[in-house]
Amino acid sequence: MSVSPRVKRRYAIQAPARAAVLGLLCAFTPGLAAAQYPARPIEIIVPIAAGGGMDVQARMLAEMAEAEIGARMVVVNRPGAGGTLGMSQLTRAAPDGYTIAAVWNGPLTASPHSQPVA
């Protein structure tokens, strides 16, 4: 299969423009990469009362993760409505990586179909 001269010319014109855009992106990336994550504590939402099995697992995870990544992890219990209250808080959290959840499959699979989450 041969490539037509027109296609070759188009790629020859586009290549420097692509290289320039890539260069600009790389020039501004080091400042973003230098930002330290996590800069503040990470919140783990547990949608049950303190002392339950999922709460104990979340606290163990938080302890191990703190040692591994060197950041503070805070377990926040939000019991009620079969886990829906905690999941609602998670859905309203900013998508910045500072809020995660430790849940079982009920709030993820059944609750959204039986009661409103947001």
Side-chain angles (χ1 to χ4, degrees), residues 3-91:
V3 179
S4 73
R6 182 177 176 195
V7 172
K8 287 181 183 179
R9 185 174 56 241
R10 181 175 53 193
Y11 283 112
I13 293 170
Q14 290 177 352
R18 289 179 180 171
V21 169
L22 183 61
L24 286 173
L25 289 174
C26 290
F28 292 109
T29 302
L32 296 174
Q36 293 293 320
Y37 176 84
R40 61 178 200 226
I42 298 171
E43 186 176 271
I44 303 174
I45 298 173
V46 180
I48 60 168
M54 186 60 62
D55 178 62
V56 171
Q57 290 177 4
R59 292 179 191 282
M60 290 172 58
L61 171 74
E63 184 179 324
M64 289 186 286
E66 283 178 358
E68 188 67 30
I69 65 174
R72 188 161 179 251
M73 302 199 67
V74 179
V75 176
V76 178
N77 296 91
R78 296 284 184 242
T84 305
L85 295 179
M87 295 307 296
S88 292
Q89 182 178 355
L90 179 67
T91 60

